[in-house]
Amino acid sequence: MKKIIMLGPPGAGKGTQADMVAGKLGIPKISTGDILRQAVKDGTELGRKAKAIMDSGGLVSDDIVVGIVRERLAQPDCTMGFLLDGFPRTVAQAEMLEKISTHAGGAFKVIDVAVEDQAIVQRLSSRRVCKSCARTFNVISNAPKTEGVCDGCGGSLILRDDDRPETVAQRLAVFHKQTAPLIDFYKSRGVYQKVDGSGGVEEVQRRIAALL
């Protein structure tokens, strides 16, 4: 039974690595954002509750999020294991996760894809997105042929507000404040492992594979 939790700051490439790890291990990658949207789309009881809260501009409670995760972990494709991406986010959620996953044998493996804040700010603030087709470029590592113009459709490339240096720095500060207690929680259980997230995608993948 493979139970993996992927941690990492925004812009660290955690999502890409999670997709690759889940694919190689033959287990589903579970993102709370994805399953929350699916529960709302399917009109489940918890999905309806979540939709009412989100429509009113509120934050979905831990009880509802964990309940939706519990429903997802009960699906047949999780029989051999699962990878959680973006969950848990807090110690309270981690404690609740332990209770709802007792049916799944074995301990969690927690992999933290770590990248220095300065590198993340540079990486994200170098990203440009096409206004027309949403194709993504990076002015440092994957620059368009013509500055400010999409190679694919010729649309205008923009720097999203979320990718501005000051915004990225604020997002990272919130992440570290929220996640630091979670890291200590998993360290105390002896399941936390940090992997260097700098370098190429394949290079980082090899580091994660060595840990697993």
Side-chain angles (χ1 to χ4, degrees), residues 9 25 51-54 81 83 113 120 129-130 136 140 180 183 187 189 192:
L25 295 179
K51 184 177 187 303
I53 294 170
M54 290 187 293
L83 184 152
V113 181
I120 289 177
V129 180
C130 177
T136 302
I140 296 175
I183 289 173
K187 280 183 177 178
R189 279 156 170 71
Y192 172 86

Side-chain angles (χ1 to χ4, degrees), residues 48-211:
R48 291 194 297 273
K49 289 181 180 179
K51 184 177 187 303
I53 294 170
M54 290 187 293
D55 286 349
S56 67
L59 294 175
V60 180
S61 69
D62 282 352
D63 286 344
I64 292 178
V65 172
V66 173
I68 289 174
V69 171
R70 181 195 292 113
E71 289 180 346
R72 181 65 184 87
L73 297 185
Q75 297 299 312
D77 64 340
C78 292
T79 302
M80 300 304 295
F82 49 85
L83 184 152
L84 293 170
D85 176 18
F87 180 87
R89 293 183 182 274
T90 64
V91 171
Q93 289 182 351
E95 290 173 339
M96 297 169 79
L97 175 62
E98 287 188 340
K99 293 177 182 177
I100 68 171
S101 61
T102 52
H103 68 286
F108 281 101
K109 286 184 179 293
V110 180
I111 306 295
D112 184 7
V113 181
V115 178
E116 293 293 331
D117 285 4
Q118 184 177 357
I120 289 177
V121 170
Q122 182 184 48
R123 182 185 296 179
L124 293 186
S125 62
S126 300
R127 186 161 60 185
R128 299 293 184 272
V129 180
C130 177
K131 290 178 64 176
S132 300
C133 70
R135 183 172 173 178
T136 302
F137 296 84
N138 187 293
V139 296
I140 296 175
S141 60
N142 179 35
K145 294 175 182 177
T146 302
E147 184 178 352
V149 179
C150 176
D151 291 352
C153 71
S156 299
L157 301 181
I158 61 169
L159 172 64
R160 299 186 312 179
D161 288 341
D162 277 356
D163 292 336
R164 296 186 182 281
E166 60 275 16
T167 306
V168 175
Q170 178 60 31
R171 289 167 62 196
L172 288 169
V174 171
F175 171 82
H176 291 309
K177 182 178 180 180
Q178 184 182 59
T179 308
L182 187 61
I183 289 173
D184 290 339
F185 175 85
Y186 282 121
K187 280 183 177 178
S188 71
R189 279 156 170 71
V191 297
Y192 172 86
Q193 292 177 294
K194 182 163 71 173
V195 63
D196 180 3
S198 61
V201 172
E202 292 294 338
E203 184 180 359
V204 176
Q205 184 67 196
R206 285 193 294 271
R207 294 174 190 151
I208 295 175
L211 292 179

